[in-house]
Amino acid sequence: MSLLPKIKTKENGDRYDLELSNGRFSLYVIKKYESIQLIGDILTGISFVTGSILNITGAASIYGQILYLIGSLALTVRPTIKIIRRSKLNRDKS
């Protein structure tokens, strides 16, 4: 039995869903790109909050600055995911 899940992408109309299955359990993610965007938003928030706490307490301010940088970079990923979600590349069959 593999530790890595089997990943399947399913197209339902204009949305793309994701199914992760491993053994007896499976996780079905509706609207794959929106779900990835939400996870990114949560990680961005955690980065900024942790960076704020580190800077307020004065403990290891370099780590706080690094977390601010990570949070800022994550904010640039969000519009990229939206563009990918709204785009589709097709091959001409000529």
Side-chain angles (χ1 to χ4, degrees), residues 41-59:
D41 290 346
I42 290 170
L43 293 176
T44 301
I46 290 171
S47 296
F48 277 118
V49 169
T50 307
S52 297
I53 291 170
L54 288 175
N55 282 332
I56 288 172
T57 61

Side-chain angles (χ1 to χ4, degrees), residues 15-40:
R15 72 173 202 229
Y16 290 91
D17 299 340
L18 188 68
E19 183 179 354
L20 306 167
S21 60
N22 188 1
R24 296 184 304 159
F25 300 101
S26 63
L27 174 66
Y28 194 77
V29 180
I30 299 171
K31 297 184 180 181
K32 173 176 73 171
Y33 292 113
E34 290 180 16
S35 299
I36 292 171
Q37 183 179 349
L38 289 173
I39 292 169

Side-chain angles (χ1 to χ4, degrees), residues 4-22:
L4 297 174
K6 294 179 183 175
I7 301 172
K8 296 179 187 176
T9 301
K10 296 184 178 184
E11 185 175 350
N12 292 330
D14 62 342
R15 72 173 202 229
Y16 290 91
D17 299 340
L18 188 68
E19 183 179 354
L20 306 167
S21 60
N22 188 1

